[in-house]
Amino acid sequence: MGLKLGIFGTGYAGLVTSVCLAQLGHTVTAIDKDPDIVASLSDGRPTIHEPGLPELLTNNLQTGRLRFTTQAEDAMAAAEIVFLCVGTPPRADGRADLAQVEEVARTIAPLLDGYKLIVEKSTVPARTADWIDWTIRRLAGREHPFDVASNPEFLREGSAVRDFLQPDRIVIGADSSRARSLLLDLYEPSFECPIVVTSVTTAELIKQTANAFLATRISFINMISDLCEKLGVDVTTVASSVGLDSRIGGHFLSAGLGFGGSCLPKDLSSLIKVAEDNGVDVSMLRDVEHINTARVDRLLAKVERALWVLRDKVIGILGVAFKPDTDDIRGAPSLGVVPRLHGAGSILRIYDPAAGPNLQRLYPPDDRLTYANSALEAARDAHALLILTDWNEFRSLDLGQLRSLMRTPIIVDGRNLFEPAQVQAAGFEYYSLGRGEATLRVEPKRVYV
Ligand code: UDX
């Protein structure tokens, strides 16, 4: 028998959570303040690019298990459990901006009528639940019982639906038996994976720790890739061999332009602040940030090494999303690379399978910046081709065709997509991150002008 659920926020986490919980048989009322988003979703038009989402949205609108509204009352009246899936973007000081979380708490307080379980799904700093509880209590008084719990999401953009329906684990942070059993009623019937039941604060910290560790792995291998360059060693060989150790594993050891997105960077800085606010030295995590921030500079140094003068050089850019299979450019390396090359006077031709329109809103076309409809179009007449996102379609590019289109056969690969030998055999000068330094300069066979 499905539960009645309310979801505040229909961004990446909220929309995926809504459609997946409806798919599992629950009745979901999702709230968003933006009427245009509510209208689009109610018409079955997804507002984010996620594989599998359109079908689930359409299916569950049709069954009537899922509906969208701007009216918080609708959700509160119908729901036993209310999920907070609103944004927690970074503030300038690195702490999470919890204004949207507080706003939902203030919205919920006067609408309480009988027991409600309010559940944090957004990634929040440890002890945020205490603040939600305090806010609601202060505004709603004591006549209506409620609990605040934590049930963090571990969704990756581009595989969020799969990650929700086939999680490695589910984490439930609850400090009352009623909250615990409600969330177990919600998840136990539908999932075989381990279900961690712990305190609210522990659950909040588990989520932040997970993302900070993922970020640490990436910065660690990027640090090693810098050493590999000096030693003339291929970091992908080091990473794949190290990853064979079952205690280490091969995931999240791909060196390149580092981690972007709307989660890892902000969750890392938020955890740093939580630790520092509690007097704990996490300078190691500061280094994780610094290594990551420096990746764009490393790539641009290679572009200058390859091209010397950047002004008036035609540069094709493949990939602007922060990772493949998403249109999201938040925290993407392209947000550093594009303005720096544009400012240096290069002529940019940009292609991304999905994220072009999002970048175009920030960097509209001009006489030195155009958007191409294919990788080959972006490479035409280019002095160099930069790869910033490891979209699968770039792996199967015809290197011979690419070389015939370009003015000078130079590839600067920020995601180590290709094998150096393969690209050099095709006549390219190939630069990447962590694959040895000296072995990649191939004198062009013909003089290019
Ligand atoms: C991440 C976490 O994986 C997910 O569990 C959490 O819920 C939200 O944040 P996401 O931000 O979607 O998910 O992206 P992810 O797939 O983790 O990649 C993050 C960034 O790291 C991307 O920019 C990716 O290009 C980069 N990355 C990933 C590497 O540079 N090297 C790697 O080996 C893996």
Side-chain angles (χ1 to χ4, degrees):
M1 168 59 184
L3 297 174
K4 295 182 183 65
L5 309 173
I7 309 273
F8 279 85
T10 60
Y12 274 92
L15 182 53
V16 171
T17 299
S18 298
V19 299
C20 289
L21 287 175
Q23 184 66 16
L24 293 173
H26 303 290
T27 304
V28 177
T29 306
I31 302 107
D32 201 290
K33 290 195 306 182
D34 183 332
D36 295 337
I37 289 177
V38 168
S40 175
L41 294 172
S42 302
D43 288 347
R45 284 178 285 111
T47 46
I48 59 170
H49 173 96
E50 270 300 330
L53 183 73
E55 299 80 358
L56 290 184
L57 177 61
T58 307
N59 174 36
N60 288 287
L61 285 170
Q62 279 164 1
T63 60
R65 280 200 299 269
L66 174 61
R67 70 190 191 95
F68 298 91
T69 174
T70 55
Q71 302 306 310
E73 300 80 355
D74 298 355
M76 290 301 290
E80 297 158 276
I81 305 176
V82 175
F83 284 94
L84 271 58
C85 300
V86 292
T88 56
R91 294 182 342 193
D93 65 3
R95 289 182 178 80
D97 178 345
L98 298 175
Q100 294 179 56
V101 174
E102 194 217 26
E103 185 185 354
V104 173
R106 300 174 71 85
T107 303
I108 283 174
L111 300 175
L112 289 177
D113 61 348
Y115 179 80
K116 293 284 181 219
L117 177 56
I118 294 139
V119 183
E120 295 165 336
K121 187 154 275 291
S122 307
T123 303
V124 293
R127 296 220 192 288
T128 297
D130 298 350
W131 284 104
I132 295 171
D133 188 285
W134 175 76
T135 303
I136 294 176
R137 262 189 222 298
R138 202 172 53 156
L139 296 174
R142 297 197 169 283
E143 65 264 34
H144 296 299
F146 69 94
D147 283 312
V148 181
S150 167
N151 170 222
E153 49 85 8
F154 297 94
L155 309 179
R156 291 166 295 170
E157 289 185 22
S159 59
V161 169
R162 190 176 67 236
D163 290 343
F164 191 101
L165 295 175
Q166 298 155 33
D168 290 339
R169 56 25 192 126
I170 289 169
V171 174
I172 292 174
D175 293 335
S176 78
S177 55
R178 186 168 188 181
R180 225 180 340 268
S181 55
L182 250 179
L183 284 170
L184 284 171
D185 291 349
L186 175 66
Y187 287 115
E188 271 185 330
S190 308
F191 294 92
E192 298 297 320
C193 67
I195 298 183
V196 174
V197 181
T198 183
S199 76
V200 178
T201 305
T202 307
E204 291 170 325
L205 186 60
I206 286 168
K207 171 63 188 178
Q208 287 204 303
T209 301
N211 275 5
F213 184 69
L214 291 167
T216 301
R217 279 179 74 106
I218 293 166
S219 281
F220 177 83
I221 199 63
N222 281 329
M223 174 187 70
I224 295 298
S225 85
D226 291 344
L227 178 57
C228 287
E229 292 208 353
K230 299 302 177 193
L231 298 174
V233 167
D234 187 329
V235 68
T236 57
T237 307
V238 173
S240 55
S241 311
V242 163
L244 291 174
D245 183 323
S246 58
R247 294 166 301 172
I248 298 172
H251 295 294
F252 276 70
L253 282 179
S254 300
L257 278 166
F259 55 88
S262 63
C263 296
L264 293 194
K266 82 171 172 69
D267 294 345
L268 177 64
S269 68
S270 173
L271 179 60
I272 289 170
K273 285 297 181 185
V274 168
E276 290 174 350
D277 290 348
N278 283 275
V280 176
D281 172 14
V282 287
S283 47
M284 166 185 167
L285 294 182
R286 288 270 181 215
D287 293 338
V288 170
E289 276 187 329
H290 295 149
I291 290 166
N292 195 56
T293 311
R295 303 311 286 167
V296 165
D297 294 337
R298 288 252 182 292
L299 187 91
L300 291 172
K302 289 182 182 282
V303 176
E304 295 212 60
R305 207 163 107 48
L307 292 177
W308 184 24
V309 173
L310 297 181
R311 167 165 290 285
D312 297 334
K313 289 290 174 27
V314 178
I315 299 176
I317 291 180
L318 300 189
V320 295
F322 81 93
K323 69 177 215 180
D325 300 327
T326 179
D327 62 350
D328 197 348
I329 60 172
R330 289 174 293 181
S334 59
L335 298 181
V337 172
V338 169
R340 293 265 293 272
L341 291 178
H342 194 235
S346 301
I347 298 162
L348 305 182
R349 298 206 176 116
I350 296 171
Y351 169 68
D352 185 288
N358 285 335
L359 189 77
Q360 200 155 327
R361 276 191 274 280
L362 288 178
Y363 301 106
D366 63 27
D367 59 339
R368 287 178 170 272
L369 190 157
T370 55
Y371 289 82
N373 295 315
S374 73
L376 293 179
E377 191 186 319
R380 191 180 303 285
D381 294 332
H383 292 94
L385 194 60
L386 269 54
I387 299 173
L388 305 185
T389 312
D390 41 335
W391 282 96
N392 224 22
E393 69 176 70
F394 299 156
R395 286 186 170 86
S396 50
L397 280 171
D398 178 332
L399 293 173
Q401 192 179 7
L402 212 52
R403 188 168 182 290
S404 66
L405 288 172
M406 292 177 68
R407 218 175 304 194
T408 42
I410 296 172
I411 291 179
V412 183
D413 182 356
R415 294 294 181 182
N416 293 344
L417 222 51
F418 294 106
E419 277 307 313
Q422 168 203 13
V423 188
Q424 286 163 14
F428 282 91
E429 207 170 300
Y430 179 63
Y431 298 78
S432 58
L433 293 168
R435 322 281 283 281
E437 177 84 20
T439 57
L440 301 183
R441 202 165 178 80
V442 177
E443 289 318 311
K445 291 190 173 45
R446 285 184 286 134
V447 176
Y448 294 83
V449 292

